[in-house]
Amino acid sequence: MTKTMSGFAVSTRAALAASAAIGLALPAVAFGQNAKPAAESGNEIIVTATKREQTLQSIPVAVSVTTAATIQQAQIRDLKDLSSVVPSLRVNTLQSSTQTNFIIRGFGNGANNAGIEPSVGVFIDGVYRSRSAAQIADFPDVKRVEVLEGPQSTLFGKNASAGVISIVTDEPKFRPGGSIEASYGSLNAMVVKSRINLPLSDTVAVSVASGFNKRDGYITNPITGKDINNRNRSFVRGQMLYQPNSQLKVRIIGDWSILNERCCAVENVQSSGPTAVIQALGGKVSDPTNPYGGVAYSNFDSTAKVINYGGSGQVDYNMGPVSLTSITSWRRVTSEDHQDSDFSSLDVLGYNNGNQKIDTFTQELRFATNLDGPLNLLGGAYYFHENIKVNNSIGWGNQARLYWNPLTGGGIGNTNQITFLEGTFAALQGLPASTYLGKFYQAGTGLVEAYTMKNDAYSLFGQADFKITPRLKLTAGLNYTHDKKDFGLNVTSNDVFSTIDITKVLTNFGIAQTVGGLLGVPGGVASPAQVAAFATANPAGYAAVVTGVNAAVPSNPLVGLKALQLFPQFLGVPNAIEPGKTSDGKISYTARLAYEFSKQITGYVSYATGYKASSINLSRDSRPALANSAAIIAGGLAVANQTYGTRFAGPEVSKVLEFGLKANWKIASMNMAVFKETIEGFQGNSFTGTGFVLTNAGKQSVFGIEFDGAVHPTSELTLTAAMTYLRPKYDLYVASAFGDLSGKTPAGISPITSTLAITNDHQMENGMHFIVRGDWHYESPTQVVDGLSGFIVGTNTAPALVAAQAFRREVSEFDASATLKMTNGLELTIWGRNISNNRYLGTVFDSVGQKGAVSGYPNQPRTWGGSILWRY
């Protein structure tokens, strides 16, 4: 979780604070949209953050807007790139392109598990995209991107507890035209996009946008010889607009996109004893002293493929004082991921293959009044239906036995210790010596997983704006959201070693051995029949034997092997104790007072709440709750090595109190917000080295101050600056994966974030424009993760917290571009991103199956290029 603040053109509320009517439109808008009317410049930009059209100056909400001009000049291709120009947004890509977290004001989650819905809602043309795999496609014909900060559940319903990203695209126009763009840059980056607009009649217009984005990766895998972290994406998007009169407008959208990439490279940033075993067996990992060396090892390349398509229809009907809107959508996302999860060239984990299919249907109906009087209303209903199917398989590779042999007490280069353990566990159970021979860590054995989830939700919402006086306006809104989920979990293990209940085996053998000694049985081990007879004849003596054995078993060295049973048996859901259902609902609300001190200065105070429904752990790490343990054991449902944890995380509820001030003068503008935001029951999904733990934090809060401003010394020059101060805290988080974190500072949130930017738009005598833009973005040092489970010793979690303190991130990036805009519609641009080549780790985590080792994801290095854009 982190918070960023960007201050350059059109990315911040301050940078948008000038009005075109007085000639102070920010250059990123002005030079990209010279023919646009004044209503699309500065704080007169029309936004729909509150589901009705308003100017930025008149909307007392924390919203940042990035226009098409900024997206073009900064060479922003998708939501991940967008984080460099939006003050409140951070985007973290994890183990694949389909696993991306969006974070606003330090809050956000939703990756790594299809059952965990995001805290930041992403909407494209009013249609909700429920998972990151459906959100990461390249931007098509974007008009603007609005980022709403803080809880937005009153108008947007569930899964907007931390904020909303709303992408608005251009609708078809009733005049012919279009554009085509070609770009080439470092890493052989090639981007081609086109858009054509065609009126079919006076009432019907269509548009088609398409493109592809290809680039080599910036990390090489020497084993396969291929580059990793590349880009390979294509899309096509068609629209039809029917507008027979000023009252009725119908907009139909259909789109299809594909992503097929090798992602994501993992660097070894700290080695351990198990890492040395990999190297002793001839395997390779990257150099931990140089995580930015551009080399990462795996015996096959990790890949991600996403096909995302769907359609929507929006009908707007204006009846004068009341307007009606209907938005209907259906979408399907299919994805495939293949990962070498041991992140080394040794074939320890032979495969980790996953695929998922998500079908989503949404329907929104709403009305809005446009009355001349003091009162205006907005209200409606929203329905959401989704089906998710997830399949995965993970298993051992051909060198797994060689790897685990020394880690179980044997030598390097042989499997003698594994063979010894196979014979030992057979003997302890009185089985033939050949029972387990060659089957511990056998190549091709592991887990086969299948998960399903059906989600139905509805929201009823309403909001009223009442002008108490000509300058004072009261806004009040309510939302009730009900969410219901039915889920199924089915995991099958054919990993022989993991199916052995070591504690039970040792206990039974200890009892048989003790009883055999008491009875003088030849060989010293009593048979099950002899043990039963002894227990019947001498209950007190048998109880004493059991007590003694139970006390001795935990100190048996074989018990330590339980930590190496990585593919245990799984209790499926639904079962007799767990129905596999959740049902919850919540009322969210907003109350806001806005006061216009003068034509230049507006202030507001607001209090809002947000709601996110329960999230389901659709993974092999799902465990029944400890509270159900007695019933599970009594019902005979417990599997070998049964453990307990969580099947789902309960709802999270957010609250924010915010004071804001907006000012707009002729040569300068500023915005400031002071807020205290809390989330109770924050859904945390922490990696432990072998799996994820899904929990609810009791309470997490952040106090923040945001300031951004713009100064226009001349008609050509704009200077912008932004600063964010955040003071986050785990108020209560007892059951984290790293112990009690209550009172501690959450990782990943920079205390201070700032951006300085300069844009100069020089108009030549021949009418051409030469535009130069540069910015510096800085995030103060912050610890990257809360803890590292691989350093936990028994029940002592303190070493995990200490180990994590070694990994910190500091961001200092320079971006720049220069554009020559000609009068014939041609634009030539050269650009550079992260010109300073600032390198850092986006996140770190426990290396899989390598206790004490740490891996991480490095950021993208310096990139540069040039583009040609022609508008016709």
Side-chain angles (χ1 to χ4, degrees), residues 606-631:
S606 67
Y607 184 81
T609 66
Y611 166 72
K612 177 185 174 186
S614 297
S615 285
I616 311 302
N617 194 349
L618 297 183
S619 81
R620 55 184 171 273
D621 308 306
S622 175
R623 299 287 184 268
L626 184 61
N628 292 329
S629 60

Side-chain angles (χ1 to χ4, degrees), residues 609-680:
T609 66
Y611 166 72
K612 177 185 174 186
S614 297
S615 285
I616 311 302
N617 194 349
L618 297 183
S619 81
R620 55 184 171 273
D621 308 306
S622 175
R623 299 287 184 268
L626 184 61
N628 292 329
S629 60
I632 287 173
I633 294 171
L637 298 176
V639 298
N641 298 311
Q642 181 70 66
T643 57
Y644 299 91
T646 61
R647 297 291 195 189
F648 58 88
E652 62 181 39
V653 178
S654 56
K655 303 173 184 177
V656 64
L657 175 64
E658 180 169 320
F659 299 87
L661 188 66
K662 296 185 176 185
N664 175 24
W665 300 283
K666 288 188 176 182
I667 63 169
S669 59
M670 61 83 69
N671 288 296
M672 188 171 74
V674 179
F675 60 89
K676 176 66 178 292
E677 187 170 342
T678 65
I679 291 188
E680 296 182 3

Side-chain angles (χ1 to χ4, degrees), residues 708-858:
D708 52 58
V711 179
H712 312 273
T714 70
S715 60
E716 296 182 348
L717 183 64
T718 298
L719 307 176
T720 62
M723 186 278 293
T724 296
Y725 168 75
L726 291 175
R727 191 176 66 207
K729 180 182 179 181
Y730 285 126
D731 299 273
L732 181 65
Y733 196 2
V734 176
S736 85
F738 316 109
D740 188 356
L741 296 180
S742 301
K744 298 186 182 299
T745 300
I749 305 176
S750 294
I752 297 177
T753 303
S754 62
T755 297
L756 304 176
I758 180 171
T759 305
N760 191 76
D761 181 0
H762 174 64
Q763 185 171 3
M764 305 177 191
E765 292 182 0
N766 58 7
M768 294 194 300
H769 285 249
F770 182 65
I771 306 137
V772 178
R773 172 189 169 277
D775 67 82
W776 173 57
H777 179 71
Y778 177 74
E779 298 176 26
S780 62
T782 182
Q783 186 173 314
V784 178
V785 292
D786 289 323
L788 293 164
S789 295
F791 295 86
I792 294 176
V793 180
T795 59
N796 182 11
T797 59
L801 304 180
V802 173
Q805 294 173 7
F807 299 96
R808 300 177 67 79
R809 177 182 67 237
E810 183 177 16
V811 178
S812 179
E813 295 183 345
F814 292 88
D815 302 326
S817 69
T819 299
L820 179 63
K821 184 175 181 181
M822 305 179 189
T823 56
N824 60 0
L826 194 64
E827 297 180 24
L828 306 177
T829 300
I830 57 172
W831 53 268
R833 293 178 62 86
N834 190 14
I835 296 172
S836 53
N837 202 34
N838 176 224
R839 304 306 305 274
Y840 54 87
L841 296 172
T843 189
V844 299
F845 57 93
D846 294 285
S847 300
V848 178
Q850 302 175 46
K851 187 173 177 62
V854 183
S855 299
Y857 295 105

